[in-house]
């Protein structure tokens, strides 16, 4: 069980624009421990495909994400467990997709969000080597969501119609959230 705990909506750390990490910081043992803690906390959650360092009260420009192959998204290339340090987002399409999003820092609430249908995310891996991923569809939305978190933006800020938010009942069944 990780000693680091999730920050919840209202905590100022979630609204900060996080500065880039130095090469030395990325290669440090502390960064390795942070990556381990992020994966550990993410694994403890019922839902979740990504987690930013700021969500664990750590002011480091990095997040972890994965997208396993599932029967619900067979047309999406899976993303293995990946650590993204100092990511930079490039939107590569004007086309938009609508997707339901949630945030572990805003438990139990999901909302309909418009995202660009494709993007490229440039980042440094855990060895501070430059990498890039071209993502489409749901995966593009996931990476845009995590990048937003590093800019102090949560999915609720991106909702065009907050009346379309929903809460999750204890059994994971969606229900309408009264305004």
């Amino acid at each position: 069980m990780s000693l680091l705990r999730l920050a919840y909506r209202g905590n100022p750390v979630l609204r900060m624009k996080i500065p880039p990490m130095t090469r030395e910081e990325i290669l440090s043992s502390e960064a390795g421990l942070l990556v381990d803690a992020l994966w550990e906390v993410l694994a403890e959650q019922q839902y979740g495909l990504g987690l930013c360092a700021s969500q664990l009260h750590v002011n480091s420009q990095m997040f972890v994400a994965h997208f396993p192959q599932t029967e619900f998204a067979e047309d999406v290339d899976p993303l293995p467990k990946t650590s993204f340090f100092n990511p930079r987002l490039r939107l590569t399409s004007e086309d938009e997709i609508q997707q339901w999003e949630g945030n572990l820092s805003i438990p139990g609430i999901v909302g309909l969000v418009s995202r660009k249908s494709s993007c490229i995310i440039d980042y440094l891996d855990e060895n501070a080597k430059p990498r890039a991923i071209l993502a489409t569809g749901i995966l593009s939305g996931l990476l845009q969501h995590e990048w937003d978190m590093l800019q102090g933006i949560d999915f609720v800020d991106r909702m065009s119609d907050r009346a379309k938010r929903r809460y999750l009942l204890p059994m994971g069944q969606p229900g309408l959230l009264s305004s």
Side-chain angles (χ1 to χ4, degrees), residues 8 11 26 33 44 51 55-56 60 62 65 67-68 97 101 105 114-115 117 126 146 158-159 162 167:
Y8 293 102
N11 188 312
I26 294 169
L33 292 171
E44 293 170 357
L51 191 63
Q55 289 178 274
L56 295 186
S60 294
M62 66 88 51
F67 196 92
I97 57 170
E101 293 187 12
S105 292
S114 290
R115 299 283 184 184
S117 64
E126 60 279 349
E146 297 302 332
R158 296 281 187 201
M159 291 176 62
R162 292 190 183 178
Y167 67 95

Side-chain angles (χ1 to χ4, degrees), residues 114-169:
S114 290
R115 299 283 184 184
K116 297 300 182 186
S117 64
S118 66
C119 70
I120 295 174
I121 193 151
D122 300 296
Y123 65 100
L124 299 175
D125 66 15
E126 60 279 349
N127 296 311
K129 300 287 185 212
R131 304 275 185 230
I133 292 176
L134 169 62
T136 60
I138 296 170
L139 181 57
S140 175
L142 166 64
L143 295 176
Q144 290 172 62
H145 173 103
E146 297 302 332
W147 186 83
D148 273 355
M149 290 292 297
L150 298 176
Q151 310 311 306
I153 301 167
D154 68 40
F155 78 95
V156 176
D157 300 326
R158 296 281 187 201
M159 291 176 62
S160 60
D161 184 354
R162 292 190 183 178
K164 291 187 178 175
R165 66 182 179 250
R166 296 180 182 263
Y167 67 95
L168 298 176
L169 299 173

Side-chain angles (χ1 to χ4, degrees), residues 3 5-7 10 12 14 28 32 48 57-58 60 66-67 72 88-89 94 99 130-131 143 148 151 153 158 177 179:
L3 296 176
R5 294 284 168 240
L6 279 170
L14 298 175
S28 71
H57 306 268
V58 178
S60 294
H66 70 113
F67 196 92
F72 304 108
R88 293 291 172 254
L89 182 70
E94 292 300 317
Q99 63 185 38
R131 304 275 185 230
L143 295 176
D148 273 355
Q151 310 311 306
I153 301 167
R158 296 281 187 201
L177 180 69
S179 302

